Amino acid sequence: MSDHNAFWADDIADEVESRDPDDPVVIKGGVSPSGVPHLGHFNEIMRGYFVAAVLRERGHEVRQVFTSDDRDALRGVPRRLADSDWNLVGLGEVDAGALGRNLGTPYTDIPDPFGESDSYGAHFTDLLARSAEAVGVPVEMVSNTALYESGEFEAVTREVLAKADRARELLATYQDGVGEDYVPFMPQCSECGRLTQDVRGVDLDDGTVDYVCSGLDAGGDHIEGCGHEGTATFREGKLPWRFEWPAQWRVLGVDFEPFGKDHAEGSWPSGQEIARQVFDTEPPVPMTYEWFTLDGEPLSSSAGNVVTVDEVLALLEPAVLRYFFVRNPQRAKDFDTERIDLLVDEFDRFERVYFGEETDADLKPLADRAYPFVVDEVRPERVRLPYTFAAVLGMTDDRDLRVRMARNQGFFDDDTPEWAVEEALGRVERARTWAERMDNAYNYRLQADLPETDFDADTAAALTALADFVAEGHDGETIQGQMYETAREHGVEVGDFFAAGYRLFFDDTEGPRLGEFLGELDESFVVKRLRREG
């Protein structure tokens, strides 16, 4: 892969174009619909999105598809699920028994535990499609079950079974336990609905297989079948994953597919050989990406360590999320919800470099190239409130006070367009949600009205003196230092003085670093409150 482009998506696009593909260029991702659709699934969707955007810019028609491998069998009961409103629920809140009874059954034949979609598989796929839409990525969802049932997979299934000896030989070099009687097809039992690996005969002319429903292996476990003996057509079952993946490339005409490092070390090497030697097709341009962690731990749908796109978009703008995936895909990253402010700061800086408002020679080439793909519209007049400052503004629900505070800090002026003010204030709501969810130093409520107080004369005099000092126009750090001086000058315990301040502003005995916080508030509001005038 070339390394002269600032943006990795250009490197991939160069490689795709070097193969002289027909339009539409097909970019694919895929997922097995187990558990909760989460941010990790967006690795493939976003990698594909940026390459698609570059190719479209170069004049190509592009089809970005995402396969739901929904003919896969349910191999274990996930710990958490999400309903159609993105509420994460534990198994105790749904019919977990229905899931347990359907182990070994394809996702599209398992009832939706929430009773909202046609199946468990359809429910998951719908959530994933809506997530992509929320991030502004137009992805065409493709159901594997539909590919089998419509007959689109029939020819490739016949091809694999016609070359069963070669397929077996290839697979045996990558996987243990491939015996002479191995058949690369898993029929679905007509009695119990489970998939089975026990194929006893293949009739290529009729397009059928004879089977015994003896179940299938799932990880280290074996899911028992019902023992039924029957016959299934090539549409009534599925190819094993190592054959199904290259079959998708052939049927969908895939030109590029990103995938995680687990596939790079496993099914990608076998997939290339199977594509060439069984399906007589070239594998797509690949791209291996590093997984990212969530708060330092691996993302796991089945283990329940997930963050959904819906949850993330409650904390940051879609552009910031898109930016997260612009960065080097080969480098491991952590999505740290506690310090999401740092990710937003990084995006804001990336944006400033693009507009020439900040200088960074190393970042400039990437910002110049990739930034227009990250935002819906390039607008120099946009305003970004620093995330933690937005969290401070989120301590009050008073919109006018929020605007005054932002104006006092120099973010808004008379020339700021109304749309820019509204968009900037949108970040305040997200930062407020972050403060509440994390229960961090910004999770306090600024009291709109003066709380009831009963200060002694010394404390009252000290507060009035502090009001005079603030009125002189000092910054937050200076105010913080002055609070210690003022307390000492008036014979008030420092802790008691701070507690008095917290009572005035939060009707509480604790809060954020008070002086610095007061420096970010509207000055006239602070002075009036310290003087207990409102």
Side-chain angles (χ1 to χ4, degrees):
M1 198 184 292
S2 61
D3 60 0
H4 62 279
N5 291 303
F7 186 23
W8 56 264
D10 279 306
D11 291 338
I12 300 289
D14 289 348
E15 202 168 337
V16 170
E17 284 190 323
S18 74
R19 297 187 177 191
D20 197 21
D22 295 328
D23 278 357
V25 175
V26 178
I27 291 173
K28 189 183 98 62
V31 66
S32 190
S34 65
V36 178
H38 57 73
L39 195 59
H41 297 131
F42 267 67
N43 249 324
E44 277 170 53
I45 290 178
M46 295 310 301
R47 306 295 172 211
Y49 166 74
F50 287 122
V51 175
V54 167
L55 287 167
R56 287 185 181 115
E57 184 192 58
R58 296 182 185 187
H60 293 278
E61 187 189 336
V62 181
R63 183 184 177 207
Q64 187 179 353
V65 301
F66 201 77
T67 52
S68 176
D69 298 335
D70 50 14
R71 229 208 194 151
D72 290 4
L74 176 67
R75 292 167 178 268
V77 178
R79 291 184 196 170
R80 294 167 87 193
L81 299 168
D83 68 15
S84 59
D85 294 321
W86 287 107
N87 299 307
L88 294 184
V89 301
L91 290 180
E93 297 171 64
V94 295
D95 186 357
L99 290 175
R101 288 190 296 276
N102 279 290
L103 289 175
T105 305
Y107 291 111
T108 37
D109 288 312
I110 299 172
D112 176 10
F114 299 98
E116 297 165 340
S117 297
D118 292 340
S119 68
Y120 178 47
H123 176 86
F124 181 101
T125 304
D126 176 60
L127 284 175
L128 199 60
R130 281 166 46 208
S131 297
E133 205 176 296
V135 186
V137 179
V139 173
E140 179 188 338
M141 298 300 294
V142 174
S143 160
N144 250 7
T145 295
L147 292 176
Y148 282 107
E149 289 180 348
S150 68
E152 287 179 81
F153 256 25
E154 200 161 353
V156 283
T157 302
R158 180 176 272 104
E159 212 165 333
V160 171
L161 293 173
K163 299 175 182 174
D165 290 343
R166 184 74 193 107
R168 195 179 297 123
E169 202 178 294
L170 278 172
L171 187 61
T173 61
Y174 294 97
Q175 196 171 297
D176 294 335
V178 181
E180 287 179 18
D181 56 352
Y182 174 82
V183 177
F185 187 72
M186 300 163 72
Q188 185 174 10
C189 177
S190 59
E191 285 292 309
C192 70
R194 291 188 184 89
L195 296 177
T196 178
Q197 296 161 314
D198 194 349
V199 176
R200 300 296 173 92
V202 177
D203 188 326
L204 290 171
D205 296 329
D206 281 355
T208 59
V209 298
D210 297 326
Y211 66 85
V212 175
C213 181
S214 56
L216 75 158
D217 298 323
D221 299 324
H222 183 78
I223 299 169
E224 285 299 329
C226 69
H228 174 72
E229 297 183 19
T231 301
T233 69
F234 292 168
R235 298 185 185 198
E236 297 167 338
K238 73 181 292 290
L239 295 168
W241 165 247
R242 283 183 187 264
F243 295 96
E244 188 174 75
W245 195 21
Q248 289 173 340
W249 301 338
R250 163 83 173 270
V251 169
L252 297 170
V254 179
D255 296 297
F256 164 60
E257 179 157 9
F259 46 82
K261 58 183 182 180
D262 54 336
H263 288 325
E265 295 154 8
S267 39
W268 169 248
S270 62
Q272 292 181 84
E273 279 205 71
I274 289 165
R276 293 182 178 119
Q277 297 190 36
V278 176
F279 295 122
D280 193 28
T281 191
E282 266 303 299
V285 171
M287 183 182 105
T288 307
Y289 56 77
E290 271 286 345
W291 295 323
F292 60 88
T293 50
L294 172 64
D295 300 327
E297 296 293 325
L299 278 153
S300 170
S301 192
S302 52
N305 186 46
V306 295
V307 63
T308 67
V309 168
D310 185 70
E311 287 177 302
V312 169
L313 292 180
L315 306 179
L316 42 78
E317 298 96 331
V320 182
L321 182 55
R322 290 196 283 260
Y323 164 73
F324 181 74
F325 292 101
V326 156
R327 303 182 304 175
N328 185 349
Q330 266 78 51
R331 189 173 298 148
K333 292 182 284 291
D334 183 51
F335 193 86
D336 185 351
T337 48
E338 291 276 349
R339 295 309 313 272
I340 216 161
D341 55 308
L342 298 180
L343 173 62
V344 180
D345 289 349
E346 201 180 300
F347 164 78
D348 290 353
R349 185 167 182 275
F350 178 74
E351 186 174 61
R352 290 195 300 274
V353 169
Y354 172 81
F355 284 115
E357 297 162 2
E358 189 168 325
T359 305
D360 185 328
D362 294 333
L363 188 57
K364 182 75 172 152
L366 176 63
D368 285 352
R369 180 65 183 129
Y371 175 75
F373 296 122
V374 167
V375 291
D376 294 329
E377 196 181 334
V378 174
R379 295 185 291 191
E381 311 89 347
R382 92 282 167 233
V383 175
R384 304 287 185 193
L385 302 175
Y387 196 76
T388 51
F389 177 64
V392 169
L393 300 192
M395 293 181 191
T396 176
D397 294 325
D398 184 334
R399 183 188 182 280
D400 292 341
L401 182 55
R402 287 177 176 180
V403 171
R404 281 210 311 278
M405 287 161 68
R407 183 181 275 268
N408 288 345
Q409 295 292 322
F411 293 109
F412 301 150
D413 59 30
D414 292 343
D415 296 327
T416 307
E418 188 53 36
W419 64 260
V421 172
E422 285 310 311
E423 280 196 13
L425 292 177
R427 180 174 283 184
V428 175
E429 293 306 321
R430 292 180 161 100
R432 174 77 207 143
T433 302
W434 170 69
E436 288 174 346
R437 286 194 187 163
M438 299 300 121
D439 192 19
N440 58 25
Y442 299 92
N443 191 22
Y444 294 94
R445 299 305 275 164
L446 185 63
Q447 297 301 302
D449 299 313
L450 178 66
E452 279 188 34
T453 58
D454 182 20
F455 300 129
D456 62 39
D458 289 341
T459 303
L463 290 168
T464 302
L466 184 63
D468 296 341
F469 183 81
V470 171
E472 292 169 8
H474 300 285
D475 64 20
E477 210 169 310
T478 310
I479 296 170
Q480 179 79 7
Q482 182 62 31
M483 288 190 71
Y484 291 88
E485 289 296 318
T486 303
R488 279 193 285 270
E489 286 166 6
H490 289 80
V492 178
E493 284 286 335
V494 170
D496 291 343
F497 189 47
F498 274 88
Y502 290 132
R503 180 63 63 201
L504 276 179
F505 289 93
F506 302 110
D507 199 14
D508 205 338
T509 53
E510 59 178 18
R513 281 174 64 83
L514 191 57
E516 291 178 14
F517 172 71
L518 297 183
E520 292 185 326
L521 292 181
D522 176 62
E523 186 181 293
S524 59
F525 173 82
V526 172
V527 170
K528 198 174 173 187
R529 181 60 57 89
L530 288 171
R531 289 175 177 159
R532 284 88 64 213
E533 293 169 354

